Amino acid sequence: MNSETHVGEEKKSYTKEAFEWLEIVVSALLVVVVIFTLIFRVATIVGDSMQDTFQEGQKVIITNWFYTPKAGDVVVVSRNARNSGVATDENGPIIKRVIATEGQQVDIDFMNGIVYVDGVALDEPYTKTPTNLKYDIEFPVYVPEGHVFCLGDNRNESLDSRSSRIGDMGMIDARYVLGKVSFRILPLSEFGRVD
C-alpha cells in the first residue's frame, strides 16, 4: 500500500467520523428543541403580582404536556384583551394562581379579604396581602365550561380575574393556559420544584 492510498483512506475515515459527529449533534439539538417547544418552556417573572411566591426576574420552567389546570396550580397564561393567545409586548403572558375551575362558584368578601369557592373560605398561606382590591367584576361568579378563575398571590397589586380586562369578563379560557409552573431555575439559591 502506498502512502497516497493510506492518506486518502485516513481522510475518508476522518470525514466519515466528522459527519457522524455532526449527525449526533444535530439530532441532539432537534431533541432539545422539541422538548422545550412541546413539553417545557422557560418563562421570566415580570411584575410583582405573584410576590412573595415569585420575584421579578426569576426564571421558571412551565410544563403543558397533557396538562389540565387544577385549583392551586400556578400557571402562565397567554393574554391580550380577548385572550386570543396572541401576545404583544404590552399584553404578554401573565403568571397567576388558579383559584377555581369550570362549574365552581367564586365569591370574595372584599371587606375581610377572604375568597370563597363553592361557599368554602380558602386557606391561602401563599398570599402576600388579603383580597381587598375590587375591580369591575360583580361577585359571586360561576366559572363557565372550559375556563378558569385566577388571582395573583399579591392580591392588591394584581390584575387578574377580578377584572373584565382579563379573558372573558375575568374568566380565562383554559386553551390559553400555556402551562403549569413546575420549577424555579433562577436564582440558583431558590432552585427547585414549585408546589
Side-chain angles (χ1 to χ4, degrees):
M1 177 182 287
N2 66 32
S3 63
E4 286 181 14
T5 305
H6 183 67
V7 170
E9 288 177 1
E10 279 186 17
K11 283 184 181 180
K12 285 180 184 177
S13 176
Y14 288 133
T15 303
K16 182 180 177 186
E17 190 173 328
F19 277 115
E20 287 174 354
W21 276 105
L22 182 61
E23 185 179 340
I24 290 169
V25 169
V26 169
S27 297
L29 287 174
L30 286 174
V31 168
V32 168
V33 167
V34 167
I35 287 173
F36 277 94
T37 301
L38 300 176
I39 302 173
F40 301 107
R41 294 183 187 182
V42 176
T44 302
I45 306 301
V46 177
D48 56 3
S49 71
M50 286 299 289
Q51 288 179 356
D52 287 328
T53 307
F54 297 101
Q55 305 300 319
E56 176 139 16
Q58 290 183 334
K59 297 216 180 278
V60 296
I61 291 180
I62 62 173
T63 58
N64 61 357
W65 192 254
F66 298 110
Y67 173 67
T68 302
K70 297 184 296 294
D73 289 350
V74 176
V75 296
V76 174
V77 178
S78 173
R79 177 181 80 86
N80 64 27
R82 294 196 171 281
N83 245 64
S84 69
V86 180
T88 64
D89 288 341
E90 301 87 41
N91 294 319
I94 56 175
I95 180 171
K96 302 294 174 195
R97 187 177 299 272
V98 176
I99 299 301
T101 59
E102 63 181 55
Q104 294 187 299
Q105 180 194 54
V106 179
D107 200 4
I108 301 177
D109 175 352
F110 290 100
M111 183 68 72
N112 295 307
I114 300 170
V115 177
Y116 296 87
V117 174
D118 293 334
V120 178
L122 297 182
D123 178 25
E124 300 186 291
Y126 44 78
T127 59
K128 181 175 182 174
T129 57
T131 312
N132 303 117
L133 180 63
K134 182 172 177 26
Y135 287 102
D136 60 342
I137 300 293
E138 292 298 320
F139 290 89
V141 295
Y142 287 90
V143 183
E145 184 177 345
H147 290 73
V148 292
F149 181 94
C150 296
L151 297 173
D153 288 356
N154 188 3
R155 296 289 164 80
N156 297 324
E157 295 292 331
S158 176
L159 182 64
D160 49 38
S161 288
R162 294 170 287 175
S163 171
S164 61
R165 291 173 52 197
I166 299 295
D168 181 19
M169 294 302 294
M171 300 301 157
I172 296 171
D173 190 320
R175 292 176 297 176
Y176 303 124
V177 173
L178 299 176
K180 176 183 177 183
V181 176
S182 299
F183 291 93
R184 184 184 341 248
I185 55 175
L186 288 176
L188 290 177
S189 60
E190 296 185 39
F191 179 86
R193 186 165 180 76
V194 174
D195 294 323

